[in-house]
Amino acid sequence: MLWNIDLTLVDVAIVTRDAYAEAFRAVTGRPLVKLVPPLGRPDSEIIFETLAVNGIVAEDGHLPAFISALASAFADRRKRLPKEGRAMSGARDALKAVARLDGVVQTVLTGTIKGNAVLKLQAFGLDKYIDFELGGYGEEVYPKATLLQVAQGRAKARLGTPFTVSNTVVIGDSARDVQAAKIGGAAMIGVASGRSMEAELRAAGADVVLPDLSNASEVVAAVAGLTSPVAARGPVSPAP
C-alpha cells in the first residue's frame, strides 16, 4: 500500500514554499522569484524547472546541492508544520484502519525527498503507520511510475513476495498519481482532496475514486476489494 503525501495525507504548502525559497537562495545566491507548482511532480523535477523559470542554467552540482539545502531548510522549519499545516480530513483514521488489514504494509510513493517526507508525517503523528524504507521518494530522479516499481522491488527484497497490480495499491490525489499507478503496475484509489477533481481522477483511470479520506470504512473496502481475487473482474465501487 503506497500513499502519496501532499494533499492526500497532509497539507504543508506554506512551509514547503518557504523552505524552497531558502534553498534556492543558498544554492544560487539569488532570491526565488517563481516556484513552479507541484502538480504531482517529484522534488527533483520541481527543482530543475524552478531553476529554469528563474533564469538559472542547471549544472551537474545543482540538484544534489539543492536537495541538501531543501532538506536543511525544511528541517529548520519543522516546528511550524503543526501550526501552519494540517493533516487531511480522515488521514489518521484511514491509516489506522488500513493497518488492521491482514498482510498489508503501508509505505509512501511521493515526490517529496525522504527526509522531508518523514518530517511531514511525524508532525501529525502519522509516521507510525508507515514503513519508510520501502517507499519511493523525490530525490531518486525517476518518473513516478518507475519509482513505484523501485518501491515494489524493495518490498519484494524485504518480504519475499512479488508485487504486481494484484497486490499493490496506490492512494493519491492527482491525475499524475493515477497515471503512475497505471503505468507502473498498481491498482489506484484516487482521492479528490487536492489537485484533481473526481471526474479527472476517473478519466485518468483510477479504479476507485473517493471524495476524501473521511470515511475509513470506504478506504478499507476499496483496498480490500482491489487486492482480492475478484479484483480482476473490474473496477470496485466504494462501500455505500
Side-chain angles (χ1 to χ4, degrees):
M1 179 83 183
L2 300 110
W3 292 86
N4 180 60
I5 293 179
D6 290 302
L7 299 183
T8 301
L9 293 175
V10 303
D11 179 2
V12 293
I14 294 172
V15 178
T16 299
R17 284 196 296 268
D18 284 354
Y20 258 100
E22 180 175 319
F24 185 89
R25 185 184 290 275
V27 172
T28 69
R30 292 165 47 176
L32 177 66
V33 176
K34 182 177 181 180
L35 177 63
V36 300
L39 300 177
R41 292 177 287 198
D43 277 334
S44 56
E45 186 177 339
I46 294 169
I47 288 167
F48 280 126
E49 292 196 22
T50 294
L51 290 170
V53 300
N54 287 276
I56 303 293
V57 178
E59 299 177 357
D60 289 344
H62 271 131
L63 182 60
F66 206 122
I67 287 173
S68 178
L70 182 60
S72 295
F74 197 83
D76 288 344
R77 290 161 171 76
R78 61 186 179 276
K79 291 183 179 179
R80 291 172 48 189
L81 293 170
K83 300 174 184 177
E84 300 178 37
R86 63 187 175 111
M88 301 300 287
S89 177
R92 183 188 308 277
D93 288 343
L95 285 163
K96 186 176 180 179
V98 172
R100 296 194 190 103
L101 289 171
D102 289 340
V104 172
V105 176
Q106 298 185 89
T107 187
V108 293
L109 181 68
T110 177
T112 301
I113 61 176
K114 186 176 181 180
N116 293 0
V118 174
L119 291 176
K120 287 177 181 183
L121 297 188
Q122 281 180 341
F124 303 97
L126 306 181
D127 57 303
K128 62 184 177 182
Y129 302 104
I130 299 297
D131 186 334
F132 289 101
E133 296 309 309
L134 300 182
Y137 301 94
E139 69 265 47
E140 300 189 82
V141 202
Y142 294 119
K144 217 166 187 180
T146 303
L147 199 56
L148 167 59
Q149 294 171 339
V150 169
Q152 288 173 315
R154 288 173 178 153
K156 180 182 178 181
R158 163 88 72 78
L159 304 172
T161 300
F163 287 89
T164 67
V165 68
S166 67
N167 61 357
T168 307
V169 178
V170 174
I171 296 186
D173 66 274
S174 75
R176 279 199 173 204
D177 294 327
V178 179
Q179 292 159 4
K182 296 292 101 177
I183 295 169
M188 180 69 204
I189 300 172
V191 184
S193 57
R195 302 176 182 93
S196 300
M197 304 294 287
E198 292 187 36
E200 294 176 89
L201 295 168
R202 289 194 184 92
D207 298 290
V208 178
V209 177
L210 304 175
D212 53 35
L213 300 174
S214 60
N215 189 328
S217 296
E218 283 190 348
V219 178
V220 167
V223 174
L226 290 169
T227 55
S228 71
V230 298
R233 298 178 188 172
V236 179
S237 299

